Amino acid sequence: MRRRVGVWLFGARGSVGTTTIAGAAALAHGSPPAGVVTELPDFASVGLVGLDQLVFGGHDLVDTPLTKQVERLAAGGVLPPGLDGLIAADLADAERNLVVPSAGGSQYDQVRRMAEDIRAFRLRNDLDRVVAINVASTEPPYEVADVDLAGLRRALATSAVLPPSSLGALAAFEADAAYVDFTPSTSIRPAAVREWAVEKGLPYGGQDAKTGETLVKSVLAPMFAARALPVHAWSGTNLLGGGDGATLADPRAAESKNVSKERGLSEMLGDVAGQVHIDYVDPMGDWKTAWDHVLFSGFLGVRMTLQFTWQGCDSALAAPLVLDLARLSALALERGHVGAMPFLGFYFKDPIESTEHSLSRQYDELLRWAQSC
């Protein structure tokens, strides 16, 4: 039986959302699935929905057509030249499913209207289930009152108690969709938001996808630990352009990112000195460069260093992970999973309800879950 799964993207017209939609269409036209982990032989028999059965929609505050966004990304080297012509029909199909959310009313009204958009998307496209993924720009930290689920419902009707990312998560749950946060924003951090998902019998996962520097850290840090090599300092500098870089130029937004980037290192190696810096360099566009310096000691305290440089295209690294997360979350929905999905930690810097950060162990945990039924 062929299944159709909707992928609702918050921030659908951004670089990551556009690259995901265009990339899925390119795969359907025969492009190789580089970076799509769920296309590995390990996942061949677990019952994932086909990539060609994913249907895209989403919310975005801007209304620039996907075709224009694809042209921009192609001009920047993120997407292959000429791709827009090959996938024009696919982009038009997705464009019909994109919505600019309407403002006004209480936050409860906003949740209700966004949930209606997602439900309409499901009905219009005859979808078996829907997964919502937040790929919007990183929000600054947001102080949320510590209230229970009933208190949150009352507060939403009268005041602004949640940031947009959390309202999107609640809209997804109200529309009976799974929710995954690709960003370090507040979204599902408040306990009452997670309780909302559990009450609805739905899964959620995240947060802050690891696509570059932190991905390398999650491989190298366990190496130092396994070889009994004390790490004394680990510092990193990140240079990036594009919309994400512009967002993170705001120190408050960068604070959200730095917290998630630093969590894994401390939980793998303990208290390690050093800082992570994020600098916006507009001419770099969608490309990023990370340089890390690691100070460690060997036998008899001999000091040594490791340095590495990672250069990559952020959206091209992120898009295949979005496709993976859509397929895996749809499988969790199909299996009736409720609550947190810590087995998705393989994809995240700050994995929900998990303290495991070693990439190889995270992969093993993901595979065990996927092959468990």
Side-chain angles (χ1 to χ4, degrees):
M1 181 182 68
R2 293 174 69 83
R3 297 161 294 167
R4 284 166 55 84
V5 169
V7 184
W8 188 264
L9 300 175
F10 294 102
R13 290 191 170 99
S15 294
V16 173
T18 301
T19 304
T20 299
I21 295 169
L27 294 181
H29 286 275
S31 294
V36 184
V37 176
T38 51
E39 283 294 282
L40 292 173
D42 283 344
F43 295 89
S45 61
V46 303
L48 295 170
V49 64
L51 288 169
D52 61 346
Q53 295 300 298
L54 299 179
V55 180
F56 293 91
H59 282 119
D60 205 305
L61 294 175
V62 302
D63 58 3
T64 305
L66 284 174
T67 52
K68 293 296 183 184
Q69 297 287 44
V70 168
E71 289 173 7
R72 175 182 64 82
L73 291 170
V78 179
L79 294 172
L83 180 63
D84 54 334
L86 178 66
I87 63 172
D90 306 271
L91 294 178
D93 287 342
E95 189 70 51
R96 286 189 282 270
N97 293 321
L98 302 189
V99 179
V100 176
S102 57
S106 68
Q107 288 199 321
Y108 179 81
D109 292 332
Q110 294 172 45
V111 169
R112 178 180 52 77
R113 287 195 300 266
M114 287 192 291
E116 288 174 355
D117 292 336
I118 300 172
R119 283 192 289 266
F121 164 66
R122 180 173 185 170
L123 290 172
R124 184 170 61 250
N125 293 280
D126 191 23
L127 304 171
D128 294 288
R129 50 190 53 85
V130 175
V131 173
I133 303 178
N134 180 27
V135 293
S137 297
T138 298
E139 294 173 340
Y142 193 99
E143 288 294 326
V144 176
D146 185 15
V147 296
D148 60 15
L149 186 53
L152 177 61
R153 287 196 169 101
R154 289 193 297 270
L156 286 171
T158 58
S159 55
V161 292
L162 291 176
S165 61
S166 297
L167 298 181
L170 295 181
F173 300 143
E174 281 298 291
D176 294 320
Y179 178 86
V180 175
D181 196 350
F182 207 74
T183 82
S185 298
T186 301
S187 71
I188 47 176
R189 295 185 190 278
V193 173
R194 301 187 196 192
E195 290 172 23
W196 200 307
V198 172
E199 182 185 79
K200 297 286 290 185
L202 295 165
Y204 58 83
Q207 287 182 278
D208 199 6
K210 54 183 177 188
T211 58
E213 180 194 31
T214 310
L215 177 65
V216 179
K217 284 182 175 180
S218 68
V219 175
L220 292 179
M223 174 196 73
F224 285 110
R227 294 299 294 268
L229 298 171
V231 175
H232 307 289
W234 195 316
S235 296
T237 295
N238 295 259
L239 309 176
L240 68 161
D244 196 33
T247 298
L248 295 175
D250 177 352
R252 295 187 65 240
E255 181 183 344
S256 295
K257 176 70 73 172
N258 283 333
V259 167
S260 65
K261 286 176 75 69
E262 293 172 359
R263 178 189 160 196
L265 198 62
S266 64
E267 292 187 348
M268 285 186 285
L269 297 177
D271 187 16
V272 176
Q275 294 184 331
V276 176
H277 296 277
I278 301 175
D279 297 317
Y280 174 49
V281 184
D282 181 60
M284 292 182 68
D286 203 53
W287 299 78
K288 64 181 180 182
T289 296
W291 172 78
D292 277 42
H293 181 280
V294 185
L295 176 65
F296 66 100
S297 60
F299 192 51
L300 303 181
V302 176
R303 291 296 176 105
M304 310 180 201
T305 62
L306 176 147
Q307 298 179 45
F308 70 83
T309 302
W310 172 281
Q311 295 177 306
C313 176
D314 204 36
S315 297
L317 290 165
L321 307 188
V322 177
L323 297 176
D324 280 339
L325 290 164
R327 301 175 86 188
L328 293 164
S329 299
L331 183 63
L333 266 177
E334 188 174 316
R335 292 178 175 180
H337 183 90
V338 177
M341 296 185 283
F343 44 84
L344 296 183
F346 174 73
Y347 295 96
F348 297 106
K349 301 181 184 77
D350 192 11
I352 290 293
E353 296 190 22
S354 173
T355 57
E356 181 58 72
H357 296 274
S358 166
L359 190 71
S360 63
R361 289 195 288 269
Q362 288 176 324
Y363 182 80
D364 290 341
E365 182 179 355
L366 173 64
L367 199 58
R368 277 194 300 272
W369 174 79
Q371 296 178 344
S372 63
C373 294

